[in-house]
Amino acid sequence: MSAHPRVRRTQADRSAATREALVTAARRLFAAHGFADVSTDAIAAEAGLTRGALYHQFADKVALFDAVVDAVEADIAGRLAREAAAAGVSDPVEGMRQAVRVWLEICVEPEIHRIALIDGPSVLGWARWREVCQRHVFGLVEAVLTQGMEMGRIRVQPARALAHVFMGASDEAALYVAEAADRAQARAEMTQILGQLIDGVAT
């Protein structure tokens, strides 16, 4: 008899693993082909599961896509925070500049460009897409702005309204870079322009 008896997975564990496999598979396919050109059969096959297993976890393809967008947005926020920490940035204004540089580098990645910026608002609708963003990247931006105001590094003003302005500008900048023929030039242009927006609110 083994000294280390196998731990039996609970139904909740199995369900969570199935859900994660589906989200991971769908994320790869949606990034490569776009929402419209990916079938639920293809997602199930990519995950090594049945179509029935997919519909047991998600009501439809849109519900699965919603979970994928949530995962992508969470990863974006995590990457921005980790890069700032790795760079040793403690000043909120410099943190915003660092976030702009990182964002304009990673926005060309297929899953960010296609899933978060292109298909996200069109498939989920603007209100739901923004709700997902607010849980992750938007919340991070608002927190940095609030911290900057508390530290006297950013002029005091409504932080949520200002966060919307920066988010809108950053998303448009990302689309401009990702769809440019010369991405390096587009990135340099937008880094300068977004830097001027940051200068405009800094003290």
Side-chain angles (χ1 to χ4, degrees):
M1 184 174 178
S2 171
H4 302 285
R6 187 169 62 186
V7 176
R8 298 183 64 181
R9 293 200 305 172
T10 65
Q11 178 60 37
D13 290 336
R14 290 193 294 273
S15 180
T18 297
R19 184 181 179 89
E20 182 177 354
L22 288 165
V23 169
T24 299
R27 187 168 170 169
R28 284 196 297 267
L29 293 176
F30 288 145
H33 307 291
F35 177 84
D37 292 332
V38 176
S39 68
T40 52
D41 285 337
I43 295 168
E46 178 77 7
L49 297 165
T50 65
R51 193 161 174 263
L54 186 154
Y55 282 108
H56 182 73
Q57 295 292 329
F58 299 97
D60 53 25
K61 190 170 73 163
V62 173
L64 174 52
F65 183 75
D66 188 298
V68 169
V69 173
D70 189 75
V72 171
E73 290 286 346
D75 281 355
I76 293 170
R79 290 172 72 178
L80 293 175
R82 287 193 299 273
E83 289 287 346
V89 177
S90 57
D91 176 63
V93 173
E94 287 308 310
M96 291 171 67
R97 297 188 197 283
Q98 169 75 6
V100 164
R101 289 191 291 271
V102 175
W103 174 233
L104 295 182
E105 286 288 338
I106 68 175
C107 70
V108 300
E109 296 174 8
E111 69 173 28
I112 295 176
H113 180 211
R114 186 78 198 203
I115 295 172
L117 296 172
I118 302 295
D119 285 347
S122 64
V123 173
L124 300 182
W126 190 90
R128 174 58 185 163
W129 175 69
R130 178 54 71 194
E131 182 183 338
V132 174
C133 290
Q134 286 179 340
R135 279 206 304 273
H136 302 295
V137 180
F138 182 94
L140 182 65
V141 171
E142 186 177 10
V144 170
L145 291 171
T146 300
Q147 181 188 30
M149 291 176 198
E150 291 171 350
M151 293 174 63
R153 291 290 287 119
I154 295 174
R155 289 200 304 276
V156 175
Q157 54 199 293
R160 177 162 287 258
L162 187 58
H164 274 283
V165 170
F166 274 106
M167 282 293 296
S170 297
D171 285 349
E172 284 297 325
L175 287 169
Y176 180 81
V177 171
E179 296 173 4
D182 185 342
R183 286 177 169 174
Q185 176 65 27
R187 188 176 290 114
E189 292 169 354
M190 281 302 181
T191 299
Q192 180 181 14
I193 290 168
L194 291 178
Q196 290 170 359
L197 288 180
I198 294 169
D199 290 341
V201 301
T203 59

